[in-house]
Amino acid sequence: GIQVEQSPPDLILQEGANSTLRCNFSDSVNNLQWFHQNPWGQLINLFYIPSGTKQNGRLSATTVATERYSLLYISSSQTTDSGVYFCAVEVDSWGKLQFGAGTQVVVTP
Amino acid sequence: DAGVTQSPTHLIKTRGQQVTLRCSPKSGHDTVSWYQQALGQGPQFIFQYYEEEERQRGNFPDRFSGHQFPNYSSELNVNALLLGDSALYLCASSFGNTIYFGEGSWLTVV
């Protein structure tokens, strides 16, 4: 099956700092999504991004499908950005997701 | 419009027991998928239901079974619980390219 690797596994940021999270995948995929998981467990979709660049407020994402990687940028981080960020790839046309192991982000005041 | 709702939110079971988890999808969503998330790991796909049939299945034993009802709601059943089944169970509903996750059911097996 497709392998999804995320780096770094952990990230500690001071409020206001910028950061980049990376997702590598081992084969071509239908789509790629970034999620944020809050402390209560809920996964919130941040981006559907099979290719190209998208921005949503302080967050932006870029996927280079031909090179099989995606990047999530967090700018001017806030404490509310803390949580686990997952990259997930759609491995078939029915939307089955293969997740990476996540990046645990802690933003300190 | 309510999102994806799951119940119960937390439960504790004893090894060997059986458990049923429930999921109500977002309005208009006809596809329900279940994922298991062990502590410190990413979610793992269990199976997906569409039109009341199991459409595809991940690498989980037959102890894991499910059902989808005509109103698209779904149940996940796990028989003969093992300690290793302790995890967060996530339900996701989707329609086309849009997917939403519920807050999950935290299962502890003791």
Side-chain angles (χ1 to χ4, degrees):
Chain A
I2 294 178
Q3 304 300 311
V4 181
E5 296 182 354
Q6 292 187 241
S7 60
D10 301 280
L11 194 57
I12 300 176
L13 302 169
Q14 195 150 18
E15 206 166 21
N18 303 326
S19 64
T20 301
L21 283 58
R22 187 178 180 100
C23 172
N24 293 330
F25 45 99
S26 60
D27 204 346
S28 58
V29 297
N30 291 337
N31 201 350
L32 184 143
Q33 301 185 38
W34 283 96
F35 292 89
H36 176 235
Q37 188 168 43
N38 65 26
W40 298 270
Q42 186 163 21
L43 283 166
I44 303 297
N45 177 273
L46 300 174
F47 294 101
Y48 292 90
I49 185 164
S51 63
T53 298
K54 291 186 177 180
Q55 180 151 11
N56 184 2
R58 296 180 296 101
L59 300 180
S60 64
T62 295
T63 297
V64 183
T66 54
E67 298 186 23
R68 298 178 186 165
Y69 74 89
S70 183
L71 303 173
L72 178 69
Y73 305 96
I74 305 174
S75 64
S76 303
S77 58
Q78 300 177 358
T79 56
T80 52
D81 294 331
S82 296
V84 183
Y85 290 80
F86 287 102
C87 163
V89 298
E90 289 183 21
V91 301
D92 59 34
S93 58
W94 290 333
K96 175 183 175 181
L97 296 176
Q98 178 72 37
F99 283 80
T103 294
Q104 172 84 55
V105 173
V106 175
V107 181
T108 61
Chain B
D1 175 28
V4 180
T5 58
Q6 293 187 241
S7 63
T9 53
H10 295 81
L11 69 166
I12 300 174
K13 290 287 189 177
T14 304
R15 274 179 301 174
Q17 285 188 317
Q18 179 264 346
V19 68
T20 297
L21 308 178
R22 296 175 176 83
C23 173
S24 292
K26 186 174 173 60
S27 177
H29 284 193
D30 57 3
T31 301
V32 173
S33 301
W34 288 91
Y35 290 80
Q36 180 197 64
Q37 186 178 13
L39 198 61
Q41 298 182 21
Q44 299 291 317
F45 177 81
I46 303 175
F47 43 51
Q48 183 183 82
Y49 278 84
Y50 173 72
E51 293 189 345
E52 302 179 53
E53 296 286 333
E54 183 183 290
R55 181 158 65 180
Q56 56 178 331
R57 187 179 184 92
N59 188 26
F60 279 81
D62 292 344
R63 298 187 297 110
F64 289 76
S65 63
H67 189 78
Q68 186 179 34
F69 299 94
N71 66 354
Y72 305 136
S73 66
S74 177
E75 290 181 349
L76 164 65
N77 301 293
V78 187
N79 293 324
L81 285 167
L82 304 174
L83 295 180
D85 294 331
S86 296
L88 174 65
Y89 289 85
L90 293 163
C91 171
S93 74
S94 57
F95 181 79
N97 201 27
T98 308
I99 186 168
Y100 289 86
F101 281 85
E103 292 190 353
S105 294
W106 294 88
L107 171 64
T108 302
V109 182
V110 298

